[in-house]
Amino acid sequence: MSGTKRANLRLLLFCAPALVVYLVFKLYPAVAGIGYAMTDWNGLSKDYEFVLFDNFIAAFRDKYFWQSVWFTLKYVAVMVAVANTAALALAVAIESRRRGRGVYRTIFYMPNMISMVIGGYMWMFIFTKVLYYMADNWGMKFLDHSWIGDPRYSFAAIIIVASWATVGYLMIIYMAALQGVPKDLLESAELAGANSRQCFFRVTLPLILPAVTICVFWTLNSGFQVFDVIYALTGGGPGRATQSVAMNIYEEAFRGNIRYGYATAKSTILFVIVLIITLIQLRVMKSREAEL
């Protein structure tokens, strides 16, 4: 056996434990789920029957499912824009400071260390108690809204809480990218007469596009899986106004009739939707990187 093959075999052996875990707990359940999506299994009994594509047909006719898909798409679009813009702005602001960078990094990253269920209940107290107190006693009447019970404001409340929990993580990625921008390029641009805005959009932003691609990809995928913040904050209500796809699937699998096969069919449809959107996003972002 040659030295190269021996080295590759050694690397494969080192990766084997992680590969086995991935195959057993990730790949196999994903493949098996496609099979369960074609059954009427309730997730508990040993007996089930194959119904082929009946679950998929029922899912395409389920108005509540597509209502949750539309809500999730809206949530993802807003979250990608809001979270990444806020994270990049924070990263630029903190990197421009000469002192206290570590303190600010810690402060803004701390929400990411809190469970979103706990964070959701914390914010529920703020929306239902603190804001009403501020509206009644401090004259801030613009805060006097039913942030949880009114569909017009519940979506905004979810975006606020989700952004609060996400921005710190994205900020760290953007700060790492900003630190990799050559200072001599910025100095050259300034000597050429470029102002700070032009330096950012013409020099800095093109150089950190790989980080933007990673952050948008991460926000996109986590957005389609959103569950905990909605579960803790609104429970999908009022009615089904803030029910995400993940919550709709959870409801089918573990509540009511407990239709596990039907829920798995919906999960498969969600997987296809996310896959298509992710491939488009990566293709667009990579082409932008290549152009620049």
Side-chain angles (χ1 to χ4, degrees):
M1 183 181 293
S2 64
T4 302
K5 290 184 178 180
R6 189 180 295 108
N8 291 338
L9 180 61
R10 189 180 298 112
L11 291 174
L12 183 61
L13 290 174
F14 276 115
C15 295
L19 183 61
V20 170
V21 171
Y22 175 79
L23 291 173
V24 173
F25 294 102
K26 286 286 187 178
L27 189 60
Y28 173 73
V31 175
I34 299 175
Y36 287 123
M38 299 182 182
T39 69
D40 62 355
W41 188 40
N42 62 8
L44 298 174
S45 66
K46 296 181 180 180
D47 300 323
Y48 55 85
E49 295 181 2
F50 281 94
V51 295
L52 296 180
F53 298 104
D54 288 356
N55 287 332
F56 293 95
I57 295 172
F60 278 107
R61 293 175 177 174
D62 189 342
K63 67 175 184 179
Y64 294 123
F65 174 64
W66 291 108
Q67 179 180 318
S68 68
V69 170
W70 169 245
F71 172 82
T72 305
L73 288 172
K74 182 172 68 171
Y75 170 86
V76 168
V78 175
M79 270 299 295
V80 168
V82 171
N84 282 279
T85 302
L88 182 56
L90 279 174
V92 172
I94 293 174
E95 279 299 308
S96 63
R97 295 185 61 86
R98 294 184 178 181
R99 297 180 179 178
R101 293 181 185 178
V103 175
Y104 286 108
R105 279 199 296 262
T106 303
I107 292 173
F108 287 110
Y109 186 78
M110 281 181 66
N112 193 71
M113 302 171 64
I114 302 174
S115 167
M116 267 317 303
V117 175
I118 297 174
Y121 286 123
M122 288 169 52
W123 276 93
M124 181 183 289
F125 175 78
I126 293 173
F127 285 126
T128 57
K129 301 293 183 181
V130 176
L131 296 188
Y132 284 139
Y133 178 85
M134 294 171 66
D136 292 339
N137 296 278
W138 295 0
M140 299 181 178
K141 297 299 181 183
F142 62 92
L143 296 176
D144 190 10
H145 300 294
S146 179
W147 292 94
I148 305 300
D150 192 332
R152 293 177 300 173
Y153 301 103
S154 55
F155 179 75
I158 290 170
I159 293 297
I160 291 171
V161 178
S163 299
W164 167 80
T166 304
V167 163
Y169 179 79
L170 301 177
M171 178 196 70
I172 296 298
I173 298 176
Y174 282 127
M175 289 181 70
L178 289 170
Q179 291 171 5
V181 176
K183 296 187 182 298
D184 55 347
L185 288 179
L186 295 173
E187 292 173 356
S188 299
E190 291 174 356
L191 290 174
N195 55 36
S196 57
R197 183 179 63 85
Q198 291 171 328
C199 285
F200 177 77
F201 285 103
R202 298 295 180 86
V203 179
T204 303
L205 188 59
L207 291 176
I208 65 170
L209 268 184
V212 175
T213 301
I214 293 171
C215 290
V216 170
F217 174 80
W218 185 87
T219 315
L220 195 72
N221 281 272
S222 62
F224 275 106
Q225 301 173 47
V226 62
F227 177 86
D228 46 6
V229 60
I230 297 176
Y231 182 83
L233 202 61
T234 66
R240 293 175 180 262
T242 60
Q243 187 181 71
S244 64
V245 181
M247 288 201 68
N248 184 272
I249 294 170
Y250 168 80
E251 187 177 79
E252 295 290 353
F254 302 108
R255 289 182 177 178
N257 296 325
I258 312 182
R259 298 185 292 177
Y260 194 88
Y262 183 44
T264 308
K266 288 185 174 182
S267 299
T268 305
I269 295 172
L270 174 62
F271 168 76
V272 173
I273 293 173
V274 175
L275 178 63
I276 293 172
I277 294 177
T278 300
L279 289 176
I280 294 173
Q281 178 256 325
L282 289 176
R283 186 177 183 85
V284 171
M285 296 295 291
K286 288 296 183 183
S287 64
R288 290 291 299 167
E289 290 179 27
E291 290 176 6
L292 296 169

